[in-house]
Amino acid sequence: TNLIIGTSTIDGDLTLLSGGTITDTNGSTVTVKRDLSATTDASDRAITLNDLAVDGAFTLAPDGTGAVIIVNDAGLKLAASTMGGTFSGTATNGNITQTGALAITGTTTLVTSENNATITLETSTNKFAGQVDLSTQGTSGHVSLVHGDHSEFLDFAASEVRGNLTVTTGTGGRVRQYGIITVDGTTDINADDKGQNIYFNTSENVLTGAVSMKSHWAKIQNSKALELGTIDAKGLAVTARGPVTQSGIVEAPNSSSTITAQNVAGDTKYNVTLENTLNDLKTLVVVAADNVSLKDKNAIELGASTVSRNYALTAGDAVTNSGALDIGGITTISASGQTVELNEATNNFGGEVRITGAAVTIVDEDTLVLGASTVGGAYTVTAGGAITQGLGALDITGITTITAQDSS
């Protein structure tokens, strides 16, 4: 039998049990001064309570895959609950919090309607097996979410967070998206303490503040400029529709880092500025950018890159080259006392090439202009066309070998 609740005032706890659905009548208000418990025990029956005024915690136990909808006129405090279907929880005037673990199989929709109300679900054993849809308001409507040690990934539906988004997952907790993620504040995601991947790269996200990720692979796509916070990952892939900058240390020392800074149409490029001296990238591939300025504390390998204007790199160890560099402006490489090898046959340096290093090798497919350089060892230059010198001096300690294969 279905259970329908009309206008009621309960000074203590309210416990609801039904073999059918549990609902409230339109326009009624169910007021509960303490906790509310709602259980359906047959046939996947749903719980739909849209007009509540509950001061205490909610314990929700639908049968099987029964859906749950809760709208509370204050905050929404969730006690330990297991829901095999979808869950939609709205706090009209207050925060969404928890006192016990949540296990939700279907989509989880969490809404705060009051400006700057927050969502804080940080119990370490939470399990969100379905997609998570978040909505907060104001300017500090922060969200903090923990998904524990489970085999299920943490998947986000389209969400709008009007504050900071903080996410932590446990074992198996890969983080993915299935819609545009909008975060007005910072985004900070830790995927199994670097053991899992973060894939925030399948939609034109709107991430306004610094984006920090601790993961195996970190992949990010943003519909505007992108500020990288602290990145601690095996590899990094970034696409931004504006400049790429940083406010923290970017580390991806075990695989490639790919950066694209251009609009969707591909006809406008933007700057990439990653100048923290503690950065540590193994391989950098710049798919598209206007100017690039990079600092790295260790050795770095330069993969295939297309830069419309200038390319500047300071490295703490050797600089090598594994893909064609197509640089429209000046190329400046500073690796004092270290080997610099820019030896891909199809490199194309449109402006001067200025290098500080030990042994240096430069290869260009056509004409090449040598800029001011200080080389502590051998200096080997090969070009498919004429080789000329710009205004700066060449200070070469070792043997200089220059080959212009076709200077006509």
Side-chain angles (χ1 to χ4, degrees):
T1 302
N2 295 335
L3 177 59
I4 302 172
I5 307 298
T7 299
S8 305
T9 299
I10 310 297
D11 289 334
D13 299 331
L14 175 61
T15 300
L16 305 175
L17 173 63
S18 175
T21 60
I22 298 176
T23 59
D24 51 7
T25 57
N26 291 334
S28 67
T29 300
V30 179
T31 301
V32 181
K33 299 299 184 181
R34 295 181 62 183
D35 299 338
L36 183 148
S37 174
T39 302
T40 60
D41 60 5
S43 305
D44 301 320
R45 297 303 186 185
I47 300 169
T48 306
L49 298 172
N50 285 307
D51 198 352
L52 297 172
V54 177
D55 294 338
F58 289 80
T59 301
L60 304 166
D63 181 70
T65 58
V68 177
I69 299 175
I70 299 293
V71 179
N72 200 38
D73 78 342
L76 184 60
K77 184 187 299 182
L78 300 171
S81 298
T82 298
M83 292 172 261
T86 60
F87 171 62
S88 176
T90 299
T92 306
N93 291 288
N95 305 321
I96 297 178
T97 59
Q98 68 182 142
T99 61
L102 300 174
I104 304 172
T105 302
T107 297
T108 299
T109 302
L110 302 170
V111 178
T112 55
S113 301
E114 182 183 24
N115 277 349
N116 303 324
T118 61
I119 300 172
T120 307
L121 302 178
E122 295 179 334
T123 299
S124 62
T125 52
N126 286 338
K127 179 169 74 172
F128 301 100
Q131 294 181 21
V132 177
D133 181 346
L134 303 169
S135 178
T136 62
Q137 318 305 320
T139 57
S140 57
H142 306 314
V143 174
S144 183
L145 192 69
V146 173
H147 173 71
D149 292 334
H150 307 292
S151 60
E152 293 86 359
F153 299 158
L154 180 60
D155 294 331
F156 285 95
S159 296
E160 295 183 354
V161 178
R162 303 304 179 185
N164 301 333
L165 174 63
T166 303
V167 176
T168 302
T169 69
T171 303
R174 181 179 299 178
V175 180
R176 305 181 298 188
Q177 69 175 135
Y178 287 86
I180 295 172
I181 307 298
T182 299
V183 181
D184 291 348
T186 61
T187 300
D188 190 341
I189 304 177
N190 182 339
D192 188 23
D193 200 24
K194 203 176 174 179
Q196 297 294 328
N197 297 322
I198 300 172
Y199 294 145
F200 262 32
N201 66 325
T202 57
S203 295
E204 292 287 328
N205 297 312
V206 187
L207 307 176
T208 300
V211 177
S212 297
M213 294 186 171
K214 187 173 185 179
S215 59
H216 190 67
W217 270 93
K219 298 186 177 184
I220 313 162
Q221 183 165 310
N222 209 31
S223 63
K224 56 181 183 176
L226 177 63
E227 178 186 340
L228 298 177
T230 300
I231 303 293
D232 184 3
K234 174 185 177 181
L236 175 67
V238 168
T239 297
R241 309 308 180 189
V244 178
T245 59
Q246 70 179 135
S247 56
I249 300 169
V250 176
E251 294 181 282
N254 301 117
S255 194
S256 64
S257 295
T258 302
I259 299 178
T260 303
Q262 67 176 357
N263 65 353
V264 175
D267 56 9
T268 302
K269 309 298 190 292
Y270 305 100
N271 293 341
V272 175
T273 307
L274 303 177
E275 295 183 334
N276 190 306
T277 57
L278 297 179
N279 291 336
D280 189 8
L281 305 179
K282 179 182 179 182
T283 303
L284 177 64
V285 175
V286 180
V287 175
D290 192 23
N291 294 286
V292 172
S293 183
L294 174 71
K295 293 181 179 179
D296 191 288
K297 68 179 183 179
N298 289 318
I300 187 168
E301 178 182 307
L302 305 182
S305 298
T306 301
V307 178
S308 299
R309 298 173 66 187
N310 299 330
Y311 189 107
L313 167 66
T314 300
D317 208 327
V319 178
T320 56
N321 182 199
S322 60
L325 299 175
D326 187 353
I327 314 299
I330 296 170
T331 299
T332 304
I333 307 289
S334 178
S336 182
Q338 306 298 327
T339 300
V340 177
E341 295 181 347
L342 307 180
N343 55 3
E344 282 292 310
T346 53
N347 286 339
N348 188 358
F349 301 105
E352 291 185 4
V353 179
R354 305 169 179 174
I355 298 182
T356 299
V360 171
T361 301
I362 307 170
V363 176
D364 191 297
E365 66 179 359
D366 51 27
T367 60
L368 177 63
V369 181
L370 303 178
S373 298
T374 301
V375 179
Y379 186 60
T380 304
V381 178
T382 303
I387 299 174
T388 58
Q389 182 176 355
L391 297 178
L394 299 175
D395 184 354
I396 315 298
T397 300
I399 296 173
T400 300
T401 304
I402 295 179
T403 304
Q405 294 175 338
D406 182 3
S407 60
S408 60

